[in-house]
Amino acid sequence: MRIEAVFQIFAALAVAVNASPLSLTTRHVVHERRSEPPPRWSRHTRLHPAATIPVRIGLAQQNLHRAEEFINEVAHPDSPDYGKHWSKEKVADMFAPAPETVDSVKEWLHSSGIDPSRIGMSRSRNWLKFDATVAEAERLLKTEYHLYRHEMGHNHIACESYSIPDHLTEHVDIVTPTVHFDTRIGSPRKTMKHKNLPEPVLELNRMAKRDLATRPLHGLLGSELDASNPKQGAEIKNALMTLANCDTMITPACLQALYDAPPNTLSMPNNSLGVVEYTPQAFLQGDLNMYFKQFSPSQDGVSPDTHLIDGASIQTKNQSFNFNGESALDLEFAMTLIFPQQVTLFQVGDLVNGGSFNNFLDALDGSYCTFEGGDSKDPNIDGQYPDTMPGGFDGPEACGTVQSTNVISTSYSSNEADLTAKYEQRQCLEYMKLGLQGVSILYSSGDFGVAGNSGQCINPVTGAYNNGSSGIFNPSFPGTCPYITSVGATQVLNGSTVRSPESASERVIFSGGGFSNVFPMPSYQKSALATYFANHAPPYGADRFNNSQTVRGYPDVSANGVNYVVAVDGQFSLAFGTSASCPTFASLVNMINAQRINAKKSPVGFLNPTLYANPQVLNDITVGGNQGCGTQGFTSVEGWDPVTGLGTPNYPAMLDLFMSLP
Ligand SMILES: *[C@@H]1O[C@H](CO)[C@@H](O)[C@H](O)[C@H]1NC(C)=O
Ligand SMILES: *[C@@H]1O[C@H](CO)[C@@H](O)[C@H](O)[C@H]1NC(C)=O
Ligand SMILES: *[C@@H]1O[C@H](CO)[C@@H](O)[C@H](O)[C@H]1NC(C)=O
Ligand SMILES: *[C@@H]1O[C@H](CO)[C@@H](O)[C@H](O)[C@H]1NC(C)=O
Ligand SMILES: *[C@@H]1O[C@H](CO)[C@@H](O)[C@H](O)[C@H]1NC(C)=O
């Protein structure tokens, strides 16, 4: 009650002192809306009107309608320009928003009382950014901001919907923070120059700060509750090295045998393999050493080349499979498979905020986030970092300061339905831009079959998540982004050897797969999906998935994801997941790049157009399914399917193919 009362007094003050009130003639239209908070989040207190939030406006970019044409130029095997990747500058110039877009949005801000001197702009003119009081942002966007609280205690600033003037809808992609729950907004930690605020308002600001300071020491992606973490199996007392046991224990030698990949021998400059981890997920050097002693003795003591992004740390305080399993699995297998080539670990997010996929993209691409002349020293323009909360990272947000690797493997995923379509489209286009620059981006497809993380599906009436016993299939993101390579999981059947065909994973985890509710079908999938629907039409209607045959299907490829022997917290145990298959596939792509670089060719970059045009370089998987949502899910069949994609790597065939390209 007290907060409301003071709010009203302050709102009246704010209007009285505002020099240039909003034009009353501008007609606003709803730009984005979310019906209810994501699972486990609930709406908490209304934000204090004098608190400050960092507002970012993502401007509509030019030439995006040509994105597929451009990517095919550099990534389609029939293109004369295959492998001729673009520079960062060429990418930024091609997609920079039109001057008219920049001008009209700036004009709106100015006429709404945001002085141009407060507005920062990205080098590529992609984003406008300024700090605003909650009262200002609420008036600008005709919305109300609340603090949302996660079950685990994490806080987030959001609103249910927001509006912008109707003449700007074509010019603005998204505004943050608003309805999105992926962005990690620290806190309304700095007030602008409101030195003359009445004491009750200042006291409420202090209260809000104390409230925010109670956040637990982690974000969500990479936390011990992240459902994209690998699943733990039995403890292994004696890790067996023979190929006879690959149906119960997967070792690097099993993978090399399954995919006919020789131990790597080449190490090329600038060809490190990128592996992304999100804090507080962390590796322990002792685990790596334990693993290497068993499987690759010459690597004992070797560490990944670690890049700490946005105040990241490799925490050792909390140790358990859920805190260490993902990093151990990814690093132990990738480092062994590609040795003597190095692995680069991109560790993202501090212990307070955690990180999001966008934080990582910001670090790689200055044109996605930097502001004229780099990050401003002005605290009114700085973004989420520095974070002044206790224990928070107080350096500047990483922004175009991190050199990308040729291949990036990420074993984390969320659901498409966690985020808004506009947000996902914008992030997906960022992967397209990395593809143009020759980077291969691989994501795990999820471990819950046609269901989303934790096995949740979508209630067809309310759109909310349910317990997974019924409902609409729940595809994963970024798995459905057409500019990444989505990796599903397979298994060696009980009693089978590495010489017999694998099946889709049906042990502990089911390969994430299905059809997007956001992204249209890319041209490279046209023929594969037409064949799939013609020969193997799935037994479900539009009440389960978008069966229009015009949307993106996933995964693209797969690799073994069952029974990986991993050293975690000082013991060997089994791990399961597309978390395992993704770095395995990425390791083989890294080895192919080494051969191409050695032959004075460019790295392969975006893989999908070449793989879909040459499905013979993958071992087709035709057994198994990916159950979920109370159904058997989809079934692995001859040709591409939404369980195992085109199949698992046939390394010699893949190598020959990519070496034959310019
Ligand atoms: C590695 O990449 C960096 C950045 O693109 C470049 O400046 C450098 O010349 C490259 N080094 C080699 C050996 O190719
Ligand atoms: C992590 O460890 C710290 C210190 O031991 C403890 O206070 C905290 O509760 C742990 N966090 C979780 C999520 O277990
Ligand atoms: C899941 O939800 C359905 C429908 O509400 C209910 O009938 C079923 O008992 C629930 N199952 C579990 C395991 O909670
Ligand atoms: C395969 O082996 C596992 C582990 O021994 C066992 O749990 C599972 O039931 C077996 N599956 C089949 C199909 O035999
Ligand atoms: C399926 O996707 C198509 C193409 O994006 C879209 O037009 C259609 O509305 C979607 N169907 C459903 C039921 O969402």
Side-chain angles (χ1 to χ4, degrees), residues 483-507:
Y483 297 112
I484 63 107
T485 300
S486 173
V487 186
T490 56
Q491 66 178 12
V492 177
L493 288 163
N494 281 3
S496 277
T497 72
V498 291
R499 301 287 160 222
S500 19
E502 291 185 84
S503 81
S505 169
E506 295 190 321
R507 233 176 291 164

Side-chain angles (χ1 to χ4, degrees), residues 546 548 550-551:
N546 189 320
S548 64
T550 62
V551 297

Side-chain angles (χ1 to χ4, degrees), residues 295-506:
F295 295 110
S296 182
S298 59
Q299 283 182 274
D300 190 11
V302 175
S303 305
D305 177 10
T306 300
H307 288 254
L308 301 174
I309 295 170
D310 288 344
S313 57
I314 313 286
Q315 65 88 19
T316 52
K317 228 178 197 173
N318 300 80
Q319 298 188 8
S320 69
F321 188 89
N322 285 342
F323 280 103
N324 306 116
E326 183 71 72
S327 297
L329 169 65
D330 298 346
L331 293 171
E332 288 166 10
F333 275 83
M335 288 175 74
T336 305
L337 286 172
I338 68 166
F339 183 74
Q341 186 76 65
Q342 259 293 54
V343 165
T344 294
L345 166 62
F346 297 114
Q347 182 81 34
V348 185
D350 71 4
L351 285 164
V352 176
N353 277 324
S356 70
F357 297 139
N358 266 353
N359 285 124
F360 176 56
L361 290 170
D362 282 347
L364 290 187
D365 181 2
S367 74
Y368 197 50
C369 73
T370 45
F371 294 84
E372 303 277 49
D375 265 359
S376 169
K377 294 278 178 288
D378 181 345
N380 290 332
I381 298 178
D382 276 351
Q384 308 160 37
Y385 293 99
D387 178 351
T388 56
M389 302 313 296
F393 170 56
D394 61 3
E397 179 185 34
C399 198
T401 49
V402 175
Q403 172 70 34
S404 178
T405 51
N406 297 328
V407 181
I408 296 176
S409 172
T410 306
S411 291
Y412 298 77
S413 62
S414 50
N415 307 322
E416 258 188 359
D418 290 346
L419 303 156
T420 70
K422 284 185 203 291
Y423 185 90
E424 290 169 335
Q425 280 150 357
R426 194 172 172 95
Q427 185 175 106
C428 182
L429 290 165
E430 191 58 19
Y431 298 121
M432 178 273 296
K433 293 179 189 174
L434 287 167
L436 282 176
Q437 294 169 62
V439 180
S440 311
I441 309 270
L442 294 93
Y443 271 94
S444 52
S445 73
D447 296 344
F448 297 89
V450 294
N453 277 338
S454 304
Q456 293 172 313
C457 304
I458 300 170
N459 180 315
V461 179
T462 64
Y465 290 155
N466 62 24
N467 65 12
S469 66
S470 63
I472 302 174
F473 298 165
N474 193 0
S476 84
F477 181 80
T480 55
C481 164
Y483 297 112
I484 63 107
T485 300
S486 173
V487 186
T490 56
Q491 66 178 12
V492 177
L493 288 163
N494 281 3
S496 277
T497 72
V498 291
R499 301 287 160 222
S500 19
E502 291 185 84
S503 81
S505 169
E506 295 190 321

Side-chain angles (χ1 to χ4, degrees), residues 104-123:
S104 40
V105 175
K106 278 188 160 175
E107 208 175 283
W108 164 54
L109 295 175
H110 189 192
S111 70
S112 311
I114 310 290
D115 193 85
S117 67
R118 287 167 55 191
I119 303 170
M121 186 194 213
S122 68
R123 218 173 352 183

Side-chain angles (χ1 to χ4, degrees), residues 268-271 403-404 597:
M268 301 305 291
N270 279 4
N271 194 43
Q403 172 70 34
S404 178
I597 293 168

Side-chain angles (χ1 to χ4, degrees), residues 1-10 44-46 48-49 200 204 207:
M1 290 310 282
R2 182 161 168 242
I3 293 178
E4 277 307 306
V6 176
F7 169 70
Q8 277 160 20
I9 293 165
F10 181 72
H44 199 57
T45 50
R46 178 95 185 254
H48 190 272
L204 274 183
M207 275 170 51

Side-chain angles (χ1 to χ4, degrees), residues 245-295:
N245 303 96
C246 296
D247 61 335
T248 55
M249 286 183 216
I250 289 286
T251 62
C254 292
L255 296 170
Q256 285 161 340
L258 279 167
Y259 307 129
D260 207 0
N264 191 31
T265 52
L266 260 189
S267 169
M268 301 305 291
N270 279 4
N271 194 43
S272 181
L273 169 64
V275 170
V276 190
E277 303 290 344
Y278 288 89
T279 312
Q281 185 63 222
F283 79 92
L284 301 169
Q285 185 64 45
D287 287 343
L288 299 191
N289 294 346
M290 178 177 176
Y291 182 86
F292 293 145
K293 280 196 182 89
Q294 181 81 22
F295 295 110

